[in-house]
Amino acid sequence: RDPGLMKLLPIIVLVVFAFKGLFGWSSTYLMHWVGQSVIADLRYQLYRRIINLPLTFHDRTHSGILISRITNDVNLMQGAVSSAVTGIVKDTFSAIGLVFLIFYLDWKMAIIATVVLPVAFIPVWKIGRLLRKIATSSQEAIADLTVILKESLGGVRIVKGFSMEEYETEKFSNENLKFFDFNMKSVAVRAINHPLMEFLGGVGIAALLWYSGYAFSKGLTTPGTLSSFLASMMFLYEPVKRLSGVNNTIQQGAAAAIRVYDILDTPEEVKEAEGARPLPPIKESIEFSDTSFTYDGEKPVLDHINLRVKAGEILALVGGSGGGKTTIVSLIPRFYDVSGGRVLIDGTDVRDVFIRSLRDQIGVVTQEPVLFADTARNNIAYGQPEKPFEEIRQAAKRANALDFIEGLSEGFDTVIGEQGVLLSGGERQRLCIARAMLKDAPILILDEATSNLDSEAEKEVQKGLEALMAGRTTLVVAHRLSTVKNADRIVVVVDGRIVEEGTHEELMAMNGEYKKLHDLQFSAEKVD
């Protein structure tokens, strides 16, 4: 009846819808920004935790499982944090407002309509618990799938070499089907939620219609009130249904969160001590004082080791496989912490100094060359990106690696592939030696650095190692006794104990364990 207001009303409607769209977009964007920020931070914290956990943790946990935690499990938490939180906030307030409205319109009809809501949340709660169990099993299945992928693709040469493509495909297929079954169970449980809520809503509406017909016939309500009430009820059941659906997402996220926080709550076995101090450069010795170690708290790997390595000395550790040689040298940089006794550098317990200052003084070359899918230059400068190119080149030259690096398609800027797959075994090892050369640490650990090489490659690598060992305190773990004959001292380790020590000539004269090892290897080489 007001022409002026009627002309203004379309403009008001347009403005309202424009603001509704703007706030809707802002709400979606900002809530997802919050959710993605939380998840990005959680993923970072999880990776940081994993990379800082000690080797004992990594020894017993497959890397494929850890990859699954960082990717799949964190992604499942993302839905619970972003979209689910938005839905809970919005739908909860909508439901509360509509409940107040229907009670305001007609409290008797409201009681009849809402009596079904508490009943509706009983199956929602049970479905949620079941869904969490299925989600946990599903996440374990995808972790197993990731393990198979990492192993088969990482060992693809062996798979092809033994013609095991069909076997690996079948193994992957079985795990894939297991994952599929869990997913379908999840779909079945989630799918029942909507029709169940529809049915329970229908029960409430049927009861409401029965009462409203009676109330209308008795003149207890008006058509306007009844239509408003029914419209409010229809609006009320929608957020309630969405809340039940959000519960399913939250349960999946909760199952993932349990697995993620299982890693985040893993205690650190190698910790920085309170009052730790920097470690000065070694001047006197490395000493193992009554040192013992066990991986599982039961079977000792090292049993009361007493050993002193003078600064500048080359000490070789030899013995049969599983004797504890690698464990001894791994205690120096605190890859593991001793179970008993102490490891001292110049009289200072390694547990009383900053871990970084300790490891900065130690260069390591392992049996398996550890390289990254990056350039030759960046692999040599790993951990020391600030080093000038001339120093990197000089390190490569001293490691006897310069010729083959400069012969690559792009020289030092050639990407060498995953684990240096584009290089030979000897070339990969020389690249690792160049990395240790560039670090220029006063303590050097060589853990069977030539055991996987043929004789020709070993000669080339040995030249680099000799240059690397010059003037350093060196501990050499060796399987081939021919590589340690010139060591200042040789220690024989058997079953976690030191049974003999001396020079090559002294040990041969003892006619003990070392001579047995020597004669066994010599006779084997003679047969070859």
Side-chain angles (χ1 to χ4, degrees), residues 205-217:
I205 291 171
L208 179 62
L209 288 172
W210 172 82
Y211 175 77
S212 62
Y214 167 79
F216 189 69
S217 64

Side-chain angles (χ1 to χ4, degrees), residues 279-282 286 288 328-336 343-345 350 353-366 382 384 432 435-447 468 472-475:
L279 178 67
I282 182 172
I286 301 169
F288 295 83
I328 289 174
V329 296
S330 296
L331 294 177
I332 300 171
R334 291 189 72 193
F335 291 155
Y336 309 102
V343 177
L344 309 166
I345 295 180
V350 294
V353 299
F354 293 125
I355 294 175
R356 175 143 196 173
S357 75
L358 168 66
R359 292 175 182 172
D360 281 348
Q361 293 204 43
I362 302 170
V364 180
V365 181
T366 58
Y382 186 74
Q384 304 166 92
C432 292
R435 183 166 60 203
M437 283 278 191
L438 188 66
K439 188 174 184 180
D440 197 25
I443 300 171
L444 178 64
I445 295 172
L446 304 176
D447 190 357
L468 179 59
R472 303 180 204 279
T473 307
T474 307
L475 290 92

Side-chain angles (χ1 to χ4, degrees), residues 49-70:
R49 184 67 169 175
I50 288 170
I51 208 73
N52 280 291
L53 283 171
L55 286 180
T56 47
F57 171 82
H58 291 276
D59 291 341
R60 61 177 181 260
T61 309
H62 199 289
S63 57
I65 292 173
L66 300 177
I67 292 169
S68 178
R69 299 280 173 95
I70 293 173

Side-chain angles (χ1 to χ4, degrees), residues 141 144-145 148 166-182:
D144 292 339
L145 207 59
I148 292 173
E166 287 302 318
Y167 170 79
E168 292 296 337
T169 302
E170 182 67 23
K171 189 163 71 169
F172 180 86
S173 176
N174 291 336
E175 287 298 330
N176 194 35
L177 286 174
K178 189 189 295 183
F179 180 55
F180 169 79
D181 289 341
F182 285 126

Side-chain angles (χ1 to χ4, degrees), residues 362-374:
I362 302 170
V364 180
V365 181
T366 58
Q367 179 178 1
E368 294 295 334
V370 178
L371 298 169
F372 301 91
D374 205 336

Side-chain angles (χ1 to χ4, degrees), residues 11 36 63 70 72 98 143 147 158 161 231 302 387 410 465 484 487:
I11 298 173
Q36 293 284 1
S63 57
I70 293 173
N72 183 63
L98 288 164
V147 168
I158 299 298
L302 299 179
K387 292 284 187 179
E410 296 178 54
L465 289 175
V484 298

Side-chain angles (χ1 to χ4, degrees), residues 23 174 309 360 370 510 527:
F23 286 121
N174 291 336
V309 187
D360 281 348
V370 178
M510 289 181 189
V527 170

Side-chain angles (χ1 to χ4, degrees), residues 38 42 46 69 77 256-266:
V38 170
L42 184 63
L46 183 59
R69 299 280 173 95
M77 290 178 68
I258 289 170
R259 289 163 55 81
V260 168
Y261 278 93
D262 181 50
I263 300 289
L264 290 174
D265 294 337
T266 301

